[in-house]
Amino acid sequence: MQTIVFAGAGSMAEAIIQGWVNKGVVLPQSIYVMNKSNKLKLQDIANRYGVQVVSDRREVLSKADCVILAMKPKDVVAGMKDIAPLLGEKTAVLSVVAGTSIETIQENLGHRAVARVMPNTSATIGMSASGIAFSDEVAQSLNATFLQLLEAIGVVIEVKEHELHAVTALSGSGPAYLYYLIEAFEQAGMKYGLEQSTVRTLAVQTVAGAAEMLKQTSEEPKALRKKVTSPGGTTAAGIQALKNHHFKETIQACIDDATKRSIELAKE
């Protein structure tokens, strides 16, 4: 793709841009950024990554190979109506907006090739976990191009569009849950006199090590958990506390509420 335009320049857009530029997957001069009003943010992104700020929207959008919708959900319909008259006939659309359906995108931008993807901000370091769904208009070659672009910033799995609500709740929002867990680890460790930096180092490495064990072995999480949990030991005491405080039910409620919110956004 020679011209990729980001319509919206928030955290997710910047994470993807940083991942692509740092990995050398897309040339900075092929990436354009635009948003509704925050010109300082656009210039900051341009200065950081060497990408282009859209100056003539009609010229850039008419020749764009792909427009990436990266606005806030509340702004997406107005944003699409704003750019719709300027898009070229063959311009494809990739949306990272939570809750906005392919049908809604095509109602506003025409029946063109559309893909919806839910990455996460770990795209910044090439470690995103993304789910993607395609409209019927996406040809096989374009499908492969989208997958190649997203594989460059992490793992991408094709799913059915309705499954993106759960993907949003799990991996899209997932980093925030894990950061919240690290916050809790730090508070708990500091209660017993450990330095915050010490707890963070231990917690981060523990999470990274456990994740790598799951990646490198074929064992189930339950089996790995049981290997760590000696009867009557410290881990068993900790696991029992998690059970007593309904840890699994809390995680389920977290995913349920995030999924419901994604569905609500699709209706707004």
Side-chain angles (χ1 to χ4, degrees):
M1 290 187 173
Q2 299 302 310
T3 304
I4 299 175
V5 181
F6 281 82
S11 298
M12 185 57 66
E14 185 171 1
I16 295 170
I17 290 169
Q18 185 174 348
W20 281 348
V21 171
N22 287 349
K23 291 272 189 175
V25 176
V26 182
L27 295 175
Q29 56 265 37
S30 295
I31 300 174
Y32 292 76
V33 291
M34 56 183 281
N35 63 16
K36 186 177 181 181
S37 58
N38 193 341
K39 305 307 177 188
L40 290 176
K41 174 68 172 179
L42 294 180
Q43 196 56 58
D44 180 60
I45 290 176
N47 293 340
R48 284 173 181 265
Y49 311 111
V51 301
Q52 320 301 307
V53 174
V54 173
S55 54
D56 185 331
R57 297 197 312 157
R58 182 173 298 278
E59 179 184 357
V60 174
L61 289 171
S62 65
K63 70 178 183 180
D65 297 300
C66 178
V67 168
I68 299 179
L69 302 180
M71 311 93 152
K72 294 177 181 177
K74 67 181 181 65
D75 297 327
V76 68
V77 172
M80 289 191 292
K81 289 179 177 178
D82 185 43
I83 66 173
L86 308 178
L87 294 183
E89 279 187 23
K90 296 183 179 179
T91 301
V93 175
L94 178 65
S95 173
V96 298
V97 182
T100 302
S101 67
I102 289 172
E103 180 181 6
T104 298
I105 294 169
Q106 291 185 328
E107 284 175 355
N108 287 277
L109 297 181
H111 287 274
R112 60 182 70 245
V114 176
R116 283 186 61 199
V117 65
M118 183 45 60
N120 60 42
T121 51
S122 298
T124 301
I125 57 170
M127 293 287 286
S128 177
S130 307
I132 191 169
F134 299 100
S135 74
D136 294 337
E137 292 79 6
V138 176
Q140 187 173 355
S141 58
L142 181 58
N143 180 304
T145 297
F146 278 142
L147 291 177
Q148 183 180 25
L149 287 172
L150 292 162
E151 284 168 354
I153 54 172
V155 173
V156 58
I157 299 174
E158 186 173 350
V159 297
K160 296 176 182 177
E161 187 181 12
H162 73 271
E163 295 174 328
L164 282 174
H165 295 301
V167 171
T168 300
L170 286 163
S171 59
S173 300
Y177 311 149
L178 290 172
Y179 298 144
Y180 198 43
L181 174 64
I182 299 298
E183 288 181 51
F185 272 6
E186 289 182 1
Q187 290 176 4
M190 290 166 65
K191 174 183 175 181
Y192 289 99
L194 292 171
E195 295 288 335
Q196 182 180 19
S197 59
T198 299
V199 184
R200 179 168 300 180
T201 299
L202 293 171
V204 169
Q205 184 60 27
T206 299
V207 171
E212 197 63 28
M213 282 288 288
L214 285 168
K215 284 180 67 175
Q216 292 194 22
T217 70
S218 59
E219 294 190 71
E220 291 294 314
K222 183 177 182 179
L224 291 172
R225 170 173 60 82
K226 287 185 174 181
K227 284 186 176 181
V228 184
T229 311
S230 302
T234 58
T235 307
I239 291 291
Q240 188 59 52
L242 291 175
K243 290 179 178 179
N244 291 344
H245 288 81
H246 308 291
F247 180 75
K248 284 189 176 180
E249 292 83 355
T250 300
I251 295 299
Q252 186 64 61
C254 168
I255 302 305
D256 287 347
D257 286 358
T259 301
K260 288 174 185 176
R261 183 56 185 150
S262 179
I263 293 171
E264 288 170 359
L265 288 170
K267 297 176 180 178
E268 292 180 358

